[in-house]
Amino acid sequence: MAASRKTPTWLFAVTLIASLTTVIGPLLLLGMSERGLQLAARYTVRVSFPLFLLAYLARPLTTLWRSDVTRWLQRNRRYLGLNFALAHTIHLGALTSYFIYLGISPDAATLIGGGLAYALMFVMAATSNDRAVKTLGTNWRRIHSIGLHYLWFIFLITYMRRLSGGESGDITEDLFAVGVVGSALVFGALLVRLIAALKQRRQKAAA
Ligand code: HEM
C-alpha cells in the first residue's frame, strides 16, 4: 500500500523537542513543584493537539482542497498520527508525575475515560504499519475510526470543561478562552470532516 512512503524523521525530532520543551520549560522556571508539573501536563497537550487535528483532517482536507500541502498531509497521515501518539505519551508522563507529586489519583471518570483513550491510542500506534493494515483488513479501518473519534470526544469534553468556569481562575492565563478556542477547533474539525464526507457522497452519486 505505501511501500515507498518515506518516514519524515525531522517531524519526530521536532515533536520530541517541542514536547520536551513544554515539560522542561515550566520545571526550569518553577522548579519541581505542583505548579511546574501542572503546567507541564497542560502544555504538552498544546503540542499533541495540533498533531491530532492534522491527522484527523488530513484526508478530508485533501477531498476538499487539492494542493501540495494537503497531498503532503494525506501522504504523511500515518506519521502525523504517530507523532500525536509520541507527544500525547509525553502528556501521560507529565500528568503521571503531577499526580504522583500530589500524592493523589485522578477521579474514576477521568481514569476510565482517559485510560480508554490511551489504550485506543496505543493500539492505533501499534497498528500503524502496512503489515497490520493487511492482516486486520476491514477491522483496521474500524479500530482507527473508533479510536480517532473517541480521542476527538475526549478533547471535546476536556476543552468544554474549561467553559464551565470552574477552572478559569488561573493566574497566568484565561482558561475560559483556552476552552473557547479548543472547543471551536474540535467542533470545526468535525464540521470539515462532515463537509468532506458530503462532497465525497455527491461525487460517488454523480459517477
Ligand atoms: C487518565 C488520563 C488523563 C489524565 C489524568 C489527564 C490529566 C490532565 C492534567 C492534569 C492536565 C492539566 C490540567 C490543568 O491545566 O490544570 C490535562 C490537560 C489536558 N488534557 Fe489530559 N489527562 C488525561 C488524558 C487525556 C487525553 C486522553 C486527552 C485527549 C484525548 C487529554 C486532553 C487534555 C487537554 C485538551 C488538556 C488541556 C490543555 C490546555 O489547557 O491547553 N488528556 N490533562
Side-chain angles (χ1 to χ4, degrees):
M1 180 194 158
S4 60
R5 203 183 325 222
K6 199 166 169 274
T7 310
T9 35
W10 63 268
L11 187 59
F12 287 93
V14 170
T15 300
L16 191 64
I17 292 168
S19 293
L20 292 178
T21 305
T22 58
V23 174
I24 296 166
L27 294 184
L28 274 182
L29 289 173
L30 301 160
M32 192 63 143
S33 59
E34 177 182 342
R35 183 70 176 151
L37 288 165
Q38 181 192 25
L39 291 184
R42 184 184 296 172
Y43 294 152
T44 44
V45 182
R46 297 190 188 175
V47 178
S48 70
F49 182 51
L51 287 163
F52 171 81
L53 285 180
L54 291 176
Y56 187 78
L57 289 174
R59 195 162 42 85
L61 284 178
T62 316
T63 305
L64 295 173
W65 299 286
R66 286 203 170 268
S67 71
D68 286 348
V69 175
T70 56
R71 266 189 286 267
W72 185 90
L73 290 175
Q74 167 72 357
R75 220 173 27 249
N76 290 286
R77 208 163 83 100
R78 173 181 295 175
Y79 300 114
L80 291 167
L82 287 170
N83 274 274
F84 161 70
L86 170 63
H88 220 57
T89 301
I90 296 175
H91 176 56
L92 180 61
L95 70 90
T96 305
S97 312
Y98 172 63
F99 285 105
I100 289 176
Y101 183 87
L102 290 184
I104 56 165
S105 166
D107 59 82
T110 304
L111 268 184
I112 296 166
L116 181 59
Y118 271 113
L120 285 166
M121 187 190 84
F122 289 129
V123 169
M124 287 164 81
T127 54
S128 286
N129 56 71
D130 292 343
R131 215 171 70 170
V133 173
K134 225 169 137 184
T135 314
L136 292 168
T138 49
N139 283 329
W140 188 92
R141 252 182 185 281
R142 240 172 250 149
I143 294 166
H144 281 249
S145 178
I146 291 169
L148 205 60
H149 287 98
Y150 184 73
L151 285 161
W152 175 91
F153 174 70
I154 298 294
F155 274 116
L156 179 70
I157 55 173
T158 312
Y159 281 123
M160 294 221 26
R161 217 163 27 196
R162 297 266 199 242
L163 301 180
S164 68
E167 292 174 328
S168 15
D170 198 281
I171 319 156
T172 48
E173 63 185 309
D174 185 349
L175 289 182
F176 181 81
V178 172
V180 170
V181 173
S183 307
L185 286 170
V186 175
F187 271 123
L190 179 67
L191 195 67
V192 171
R193 276 183 79 103
L194 291 175
I195 294 169
L198 214 68
K199 183 180 174 186
Q200 235 170 6
R201 192 176 294 182
R202 273 208 204 120
Q203 280 172 340
K204 260 189 204 157

